[in-house]
């Protein structure tokens, strides 16, 4: 019988067990492993679409723009799904802009964030006609004015301000505190906006902030919105009126048992702050759009029982998914075809020559050598943070659409890894 049993415990909405085998949408994971090999990132088009629609529904008929943060997952296939849904894009480099355009994204809906924009990247973005530069310093403001002048264009800008709220998240991913490198202080922002009015090649379009990542509590974002709104009104009193307010990304997702609010619940207090305002509200979600729309499919190479710990050595590693090694992040690990045998506890580790090369600690798994595992919630900051450490070719990437698998990135070849290198002769 082909009755799907929904597994509400799993954070990926389109992952389900059919006859004891995990499927993404209507496609069995073993069939994907067979066809494309392992390790492979597997994304669900329906899950990507549902995540985007959740944002659109939460924003209702407010004037708004959802700009997907490309750095979370920059595969052209992913970008093309969001472009077709009408998304804008938040980029942090000229490379990401090239990807957005190659995937069919609308440059007019692009916002360009980042503290270190190069002249070349400014030129590229101005020529493409992007929607807004989120300027992060006084020096950047002057440079952008000069580059726009050389091209005979006006650069649309927002200042990224630092609302100095504590997002209560991991210190590496909190960005809205005074003590970090992002944005400009509130007091400085007024001075910079005044300066911007006197620069001939800038068009003041809006204001931006982004307070951190994996936020589960809506209060800090609403507090930041309140503070930004105060500044917007102060600017208006000086005759500087803004068309848009960009509140950044950072909405968290469920990895384990976190109580992650829905996007609608997350945004509710913030939208209340902006009730009756006419400015367009922009958002830059990354993780919340792709995190739980993807998994990393890997095969167990060896089981290695030890005196203190058992190891399941898999063919994916920290170079494929860095988050556990980097942030001690927790990812759910599930058997693709669970065995009836008794489960044992395993360290799930990769083949890389580092003790820090682990994907999960102390998990209960009923498995044998050669079995497949799915590492969940791997759609965001998975592939984009991957490397070639240990000369490991990067994984293939597949987007599942019902019973069809689109190969959206071929597995890297070893030859490609050293194609630009030269031995001394
Ligand atoms: C990283 C980043 C985002 C996306 O963050 P998520 O936590 O993935 O939503 C949005 N805006 C800026 C400026 C960022 O640096």
């Amino acid at each position: 019988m082909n009755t799907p049993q929904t597994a509400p415990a799993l954070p990926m909405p389109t992952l389900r067990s059919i006859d004891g085998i995990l499927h993404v949408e209507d496609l069995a994971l073993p069939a994907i492993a067979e066809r494309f090999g392992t390790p492979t990132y597997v994304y669900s088009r329906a899950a990507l679409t549902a995540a985007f629609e959740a944002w659109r529904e939460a924003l209702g008929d407010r004037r708004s723009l959802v700009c997907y943060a490309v750095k979370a997952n920059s595969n052209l296939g992913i970008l093309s799904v969001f472009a077709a849904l009408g998304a804008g894009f938040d980029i942090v480099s000229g490379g990401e802009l090239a990807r957005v355009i190659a995937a069919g994204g609308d440059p007019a809906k692009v916002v360009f964030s980042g503290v270190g924009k190069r002249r070349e990247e400014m030129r590229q973005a101005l020529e493409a006609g992007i929607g807004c530069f989120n300027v992060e310093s006084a020096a950047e403001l002057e440079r952008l004015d000069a580059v726009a002048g050389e091209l005979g264009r006006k650069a649309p800008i927002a200042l990224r301000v630092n609302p100095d709220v504590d997002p209560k998240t991991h210190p590496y991913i909190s960005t809205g505190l005074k003590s970090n490198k992002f944005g400009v202080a509130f007091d400085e922002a007024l001075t910079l906006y005044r300066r911007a009015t006197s620069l001939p090649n800038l068009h003041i379009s809006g204001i931006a902030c982004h307070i951190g990542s994996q936020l589960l509590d809506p209060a800090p974002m609403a507090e930041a919105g309140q503070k930004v709104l105060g500044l917007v009104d102060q600017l208006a009193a000086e005759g500087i009126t803004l068309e848009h307010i960009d509140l950044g990304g950072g909405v968290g997702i469920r990895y384990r048992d976190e109580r992650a609010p829905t996007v609608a619940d997350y945004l509710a207090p913030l939208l209340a702050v902006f009730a009756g305002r006419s400015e367009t509200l922009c958002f830059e979600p990354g993780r919340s759009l792709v995190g739980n729309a993807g998994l990393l499919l890997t095969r167990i190479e060896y089981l290695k029982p030890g005196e203190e710990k058992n190891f399941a050595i898999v063919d994916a590693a920290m170079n494929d998914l860095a988050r556990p090694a980097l942030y001690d992040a927790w990812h759910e690990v599930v058997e693709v075809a669970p065995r009836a045998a008794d489960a044992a506890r395993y360290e799930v580790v990769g083949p890389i020559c580092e003790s820090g090369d682990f994907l999960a600690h102390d998990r209960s798994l009923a498995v044998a050598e050669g079995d497949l595992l799915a590492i969940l919630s791997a759609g965001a900051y998975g592939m984009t943070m991957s490397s070639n450490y240990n000369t490991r070719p990067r994984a293939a990437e597949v987007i599942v659409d019902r019973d069809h698998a689109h190969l959206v990135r071929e597995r890297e070849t070893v030859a490609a890894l050293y194609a630009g290198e030269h031995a001394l002769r």
Side-chain angles (χ1 to χ4, degrees):
M1 279 276 285
N2 238 22
T3 16
Q5 302 119 36
T6 41
L10 300 179
M12 185 175 185
T14 53
L15 183 66
R16 56 192 182 160
S17 176
I18 301 177
D19 293 340
I21 293 171
L22 278 186
H23 288 58
V24 167
E25 302 191 21
D26 300 328
L27 206 55
L29 286 174
I32 293 175
E34 198 88 344
R35 188 162 151 211
F36 302 106
T38 50
T40 291
Y41 276 98
V42 182
Y43 312 112
S44 156
R45 182 175 190 168
L48 294 166
T49 303
F52 188 79
E53 293 303 340
W55 274 85
R56 203 139 54 186
E57 275 162 37
L59 291 164
D61 48 18
R62 257 217 78 95
R63 258 207 293 163
S64 58
L65 181 62
V66 177
C67 296
Y68 167 60
V70 173
K71 75 176 194 281
N73 189 323
S74 58
N75 183 284
L76 294 196
I78 302 272
L79 300 181
S80 69
V81 168
F82 290 135
L85 293 169
F89 296 92
D90 169 46
I91 59 164
V92 292
S93 71
E96 287 190 348
L97 176 57
R99 284 179 174 276
V100 166
I101 292 169
D106 179 359
K109 292 185 191 166
V110 166
V111 298
F112 192 170
S113 305
V115 293
K117 300 179 194 78
R118 297 153 58 109
R119 286 191 178 78
E120 207 30 63
E121 293 176 311
M122 289 176 170
R123 250 176 246 129
Q124 179 194 354
L126 284 164
E127 276 166 357
I130 68 159
C132 193
F133 290 84
N134 288 350
V135 173
E136 304 216 16
S137 65
E140 185 188 338
L141 199 65
E142 303 294 330
R143 180 186 285 190
L144 182 58
D145 178 66
V147 173
E150 283 158 27
L151 293 178
R153 292 184 186 245
K154 261 195 189 290
I157 64 142
L159 282 179
R160 175 166 171 188
V161 297
N162 207 325
D164 199 31
V165 298
D166 183 356
K168 305 182 182 86
T169 181
H170 193 288
Y172 288 6
I173 48 183
S174 94
T175 56
L177 285 169
K178 270 187 184 158
S179 52
N180 72 51
K181 69 177 177 181
F182 301 101
V184 299
F186 256 56
D187 311 338
E188 200 190 344
L190 273 176
T191 315
L192 286 186
Y193 271 109
R194 287 180 198 129
R195 172 71 184 145
T197 57
S198 70
L199 293 172
N201 308 305
L202 302 181
H203 165 71
I204 299 174
S205 170
I207 190 164
C209 72
H210 170 73
I211 61 171
S213 204
Q214 185 54 15
L215 312 178
L216 297 168
D217 176 357
M221 186 112 128
E223 188 191 333
Q226 191 76 61
K227 285 190 169 184
V228 167
L229 200 51
L231 191 53
V232 171
D233 289 339
Q234 232 176 313
L235 288 166
E238 297 195 14
I240 303 173
T241 54
L242 304 182
E243 295 142 29
H244 79 267
I245 300 173
D246 180 341
L247 295 151
V251 175
I253 61 167
R254 181 161 75 89
Y255 284 94
R256 188 179 187 175
D257 48 12
E258 302 93 333
R259 255 172 299 160
T262 63
V263 175
D265 288 345
Y266 191 91
L267 291 184
L270 182 74
L271 293 179
V273 168
F274 289 94
R277 303 289 303 209
S278 62
E279 295 91 348
T280 299
L281 288 189
C282 302
F283 294 92
E284 305 168 350
R287 193 188 313 268
S288 106
L289 288 178
V290 292
N292 274 326
L295 59 81
L296 177 57
L297 183 61
T298 182
R299 197 179 286 284
I300 297 174
E301 289 284 350
Y302 299 99
L303 292 178
K304 184 174 175 182
E307 265 177 39
E308 292 187 356
K309 287 174 173 174
N310 302 315
F311 293 94
I313 302 166
V314 299
D315 62 8
M318 65 186 281
N319 76 296
D320 299 299
L321 181 65
R323 297 187 70 259
L326 202 57
Y327 308 120
D328 209 16
W330 201 96
H331 286 261
E332 178 84 48
V333 177
V334 287
E335 304 96 332
V336 166
R339 291 175 180 271
D342 285 344
R345 300 202 76 85
Y346 289 99
E347 298 289 303
V348 181
V349 301
I352 284 184
C353 303
E354 298 273 350
S355 312
D357 180 24
F358 74 96
L359 296 170
H361 289 306
D362 196 26
R363 300 301 172 85
S364 173
L365 297 167
V367 287
E369 186 179 305
D371 282 4
L372 293 168
L373 295 176
I375 315 225
L376 305 189
S377 310
Y381 306 106
M383 189 62 171
T384 48
M385 291 178 86
S386 66
S387 77
N388 295 119
Y389 191 39
N390 281 210
T391 304
R392 289 171 47 83
R394 271 172 294 185
E397 293 178 286
V398 164
I399 295 182
V400 173
D401 185 0
R402 285 163 295 182
D403 62 352
H404 187 74
H406 299 268
L407 179 63
V408 291
R409 181 186 168 112
E410 291 163 32
R411 184 175 308 287
E412 215 162 24
T413 63
V414 170
L417 296 190
Y418 55 81
E421 298 178 28
H422 305 283
L424 299 187
R425 308 221 184 256

